[in-house]
Each structure stands twice: as C-alpha cells, then as structure tokens.
Amino acid sequence: MKYELQTIPVWDALRKEGECPICNLMQAAEKDSLDFYTGSSVMNPETRVKVNTTGFCPHHLQLLAESGHPQSLAVMLRSVVQQRIADLEKPFSAICSSKPGRATDKAISAFADSVFEHEQGCLICQRMENRLIRYCYTVAVLWDTDVEFRHVLEESKGFCLHHFVRILEISGKALPARTRAEFIHSMAMLEKKGLLHTADDVEWMTQMYKSENDGKDWNGCEDAHIRAAYRMIGKGRIDDEDNKQV
Ligand SMILES: [Zn+2]
Ligand SMILES: [Zn+2]
C-alpha cells in the first residue's frame, strides 16, 4: 500500500505549542470530517448509501447532531432511520412474538446485538484513522529524510503516549528495519524526556498548593494537570482501536 505524505500539515503541527502535534492534527481531521458529513456530500447517492449502512459511532453522531446543521442532518437521518426500521423488522417481530421465558431473553439479546453492532461502524472514525496513518507515516519519513525536521522533532516535547505508540507501529511501513530501529530509539528517548518533563511540572504544581510556597513562581505549571492528562491519553482523542487498518 502506498501512503501519501502529509509534509506541510505535519511540519505546521510540529511548530505549534502543545503536548502532541498528532493530537492537534487529529482534532483538525475530526472537524474536517464533521464538515464533510454536514455539507452537500450528504446529497451524494454514494455517500448516502455508506451513511445508511455503516453510519456513525455514538460520539460522532452526537457531534453531528449538535453541529448546528439541522437541515443536512434531517436529510441524512431521514434515510438512516428508515434503513434502521427495515433492518430491525425481524428483531422487532421476534421480541414481540417470542414465548415468555428464555425465548424472550434470546430475542432481546439478538435485538441488542443488532443495535450494538451498528454502533461499532463509523465513517468519521474510518476517515480519521486513514489520516492518522498518513500523519504517523510522514513523521517517520521526514525524520529520515529531512535533517531540519529531525532536529526540530528531537528538540520538541514529543507526543501523547497513544500517538507515540501508533507512530512506532506505523514506522514499520515507512522505514527499512535498521533505520527504523534508530528511529524507535530516538523517539523513545524523546518520549521519556517529555514524560519526565510532565512529571516535573505536575510535581511543581502540587508543591504550589503548600503554604510554604506562597508567592513563589508557578513557572507555567498552572495547567500541568491538564497537560499531564493529555500526555497520557491524547487530547480530544476518540477511541480508534476498532478501526486500525495497518
Ligand atoms: Zn496525541
Ligand atoms: Zn466515530
């Protein structure tokens, strides 16, 4: 599979402040996807079929519903609800006609499977995962081919732990084994340094709540608790584990 490089967005994200450049890129990717599905694309027959069959996870359907595009969502959801009614016809008649006892439980269980299975698919999660792969791939390629990028990256704060792992995984698609080993070593050192920095910041934040430190300088650690949380799990991250395509 050929991966498309995303040099300019990755460079731009690396130059921005924050705990993780990939988190920043993924927040933009989510916004782009929401715009796509609230725009004129919902009228496209091909998109409509995909929306009806795959749909959206609860997180993204909620964001779409609250995005302030009532007309687009009404058009989209009209056919989604009709499709769901058709899909659920059998499970509905099973729960209504089953005999009391175990048959009822079985029918409810089949109905639940149908509902929960549908919640697993998500067109926005899929689009975001495709972008994530390209961004992680680009980080590895630029580290190998652009001296300036390597320098800026190695002097940066690194990544959130979630995206650090994804970059290491995807680097296998971008680099030959020997170069990859060097890249992984470099990223591991960077990540450890970033984590230690986060730990120092949170430590100083806790110290600042002690009376003996009244009047001392916060050293920019007023929001260390938030940055520590982002460092652990990523900022605004959705659970994309089900959509891995690597
Ligand atoms: Zn991240
Ligand atoms: Zn989703």
Side-chain angles (χ1 to χ4, degrees):
M1 189 179 185
K2 182 119 177 62
Y3 296 94
E4 189 190 322
L5 285 176
Q6 299 288 319
T7 305
I8 293 170
V10 168
W11 251 120
D12 287 349
L14 185 60
R15 288 190 182 108
K16 275 187 196 147
E17 275 288 299
E19 292 303 298
C20 174
I22 304 290
C23 279
N24 292 338
L25 286 165
M26 293 313 294
Q27 283 190 294
E30 186 171 56
K31 190 184 173 304
D32 288 350
S33 294
L34 291 168
D35 289 347
F36 179 82
Y37 286 107
T38 50
S40 55
S41 69
V42 287
M43 303 308 285
N44 176 327
E46 204 186 317
T47 307
R48 208 180 275 203
V49 169
K50 281 189 187 166
V51 167
N52 287 349
T53 50
T54 306
F56 303 99
C57 67
H59 169 72
H60 284 131
L61 189 52
Q62 183 175 339
L63 289 183
L64 285 169
E66 294 170 354
S67 66
H69 295 86
Q71 190 182 357
S72 300
L73 263 293
V75 169
M76 182 199 284
L77 290 173
R78 179 180 57 192
S79 54
V80 167
V81 174
Q82 281 166 356
Q83 182 67 47
R84 292 302 285 143
I85 290 169
D87 293 345
L88 290 169
E89 200 177 315
K90 267 190 183 173
F92 261 126
S93 62
I95 51 173
C96 293
S97 61
S98 59
K99 288 183 183 144
R102 286 183 66 186
T104 301
D105 289 335
K106 215 175 148 189
I108 292 170
S109 171
F111 197 101
D113 286 349
S114 174
V115 170
F116 297 145
E117 197 184 304
H118 194 261
E119 289 180 0
Q120 300 298 312
C122 179
L123 294 169
I124 292 180
C125 285
Q126 282 172 11
R127 277 169 71 96
M128 289 178 68
E129 175 64 11
N130 290 338
R131 287 246 202 141
L132 177 62
I133 290 170
R134 294 205 291 269
Y135 293 142
C136 294
Y137 180 86
T138 302
V139 168
V141 170
L142 289 181
W143 176 89
D144 186 35
T145 56
D146 182 336
V147 180
E148 195 191 344
F149 183 87
R150 184 185 292 208
H151 175 72
V152 174
L153 178 59
E154 290 180 350
E155 292 301 312
S156 75
K157 288 181 177 178
F159 305 94
C160 70
L161 279 173
H162 179 79
H163 288 135
F164 166 68
V165 170
R166 297 305 308 275
I167 286 169
L168 297 192
E169 286 173 351
I170 293 162
S171 67
K173 309 282 178 193
L175 304 171
R178 194 180 290 262
T179 312
R180 186 189 186 203
E182 241 184 276
F183 173 72
I184 288 172
H185 184 261
S186 168
M187 291 303 101
M189 293 297 103
L190 173 67
E191 194 63 15
K192 218 168 167 184
K193 193 172 77 179
L195 279 170
L196 289 170
H197 190 76
T198 301
D200 285 347
D201 282 358
V202 181
E203 170 62 25
W204 184 241
M205 189 178 178
T206 62
Q207 294 303 318
M208 284 299 287
Y209 288 102
K210 293 182 178 170
S211 55
E212 68 255 35
N213 291 323
D214 273 355
K216 284 192 182 168
D217 192 342
W218 280 84
N219 293 330
C221 293
E222 296 91 333
D223 64 345
H225 61 304
I226 295 171
R227 289 188 283 111
Y230 290 163
R231 168 70 62 171
M232 297 298 115
I233 58 159
K235 183 182 179 186
R237 184 175 68 78
I238 52 133
D239 190 0
D240 46 24
E241 291 304 307
D242 294 334
N243 296 300
K244 277 190 186 181
Q245 291 173 3
V246 183

